[in-house]
Amino acid sequence: MTEHQSHQFERGTDGPKVIVVGCDGSDSSLRAAAYAAGLARRQRALLAVVYVQPVMTAGAALGAPVAGTTDEVAESLIREIREAAERVRHIYDNVRWEFHTFRGDPYNGLVEAADQLKADAVVVGASEQAGHRLVGSVAVRLVKAGRWPVTVVP
């Protein structure tokens, strides 16, 4: 092994150092965030909570201020996450966490987030939509991407 190779770090070999969790305010995503927080605490990893703001076409919005609406959702989520973190602060004292917002569809937004944040692991809640059993949920698509270990929390 050359000197250069001995100092290279392979993501994931020492356990996750950055854990990305997708959170959209649904019950399953909040359970995923709680699970990811416990994992981050045990691994001494950074927890990156990611909300992917949907991007709607102008036709779908019908003149509604969509950007403002999704910004309000993001701000509401941040408040909700902070309040939840405050309630369980004694449990998760040692968890370093950040909140990030990306725009797009949930799958591509989480892929972009995981790439930009150099995620070692991705945690998502199980889809609560029945149609995803046929088309494929975000979780299934992330697993099939094969780029990070993916944990799906029911």
Side-chain angles (χ1 to χ4, degrees), residues 75-136:
E75 288 178 22
S76 172
L77 253 180
I78 292 169
R79 273 195 306 278
E80 191 175 337
I81 291 166
R82 286 207 172 119
E83 287 169 8
E86 190 63 32
R87 285 193 301 272
V88 295
R89 182 183 46 183
H90 61 285
I91 299 171
Y92 299 115
D93 260 348
N94 300 327
V95 176
R96 294 177 300 125
W97 67 281
E98 304 171 346
F99 185 87
H100 298 271
T101 302
F102 287 79
R103 290 185 187 268
D105 67 273
Y107 170 75
N108 287 308
L110 285 172
V111 167
E112 182 181 352
D115 283 346
Q116 281 189 22
L117 300 170
K118 297 186 177 17
D120 296 300
V122 178
V123 179
V124 292
S127 175
E128 296 174 352
Q129 297 180 8
H132 282 168
R133 290 188 198 108
L134 301 173
V135 178

Side-chain angles (χ1 to χ4, degrees), residues 24 50-56 102-113 132 136-138 141-142:
D24 62 5
V50 173
Y51 170 62
V52 181
Q53 288 182 276
V55 175
M56 294 185 185
F102 287 79
R103 290 185 187 268
D105 67 273
Y107 170 75
N108 287 308
L110 285 172
V111 167
E112 182 181 352
H132 282 168
S137 66
V138 171
R141 292 175 68 195
L142 288 167

Side-chain angles (χ1 to χ4, degrees), residues 21 29-40 42 47 92:
V21 60
S29 77
L30 294 174
R31 286 190 298 271
Y35 178 87
L39 183 60
R42 289 186 299 278
L47 177 63
Y92 299 115

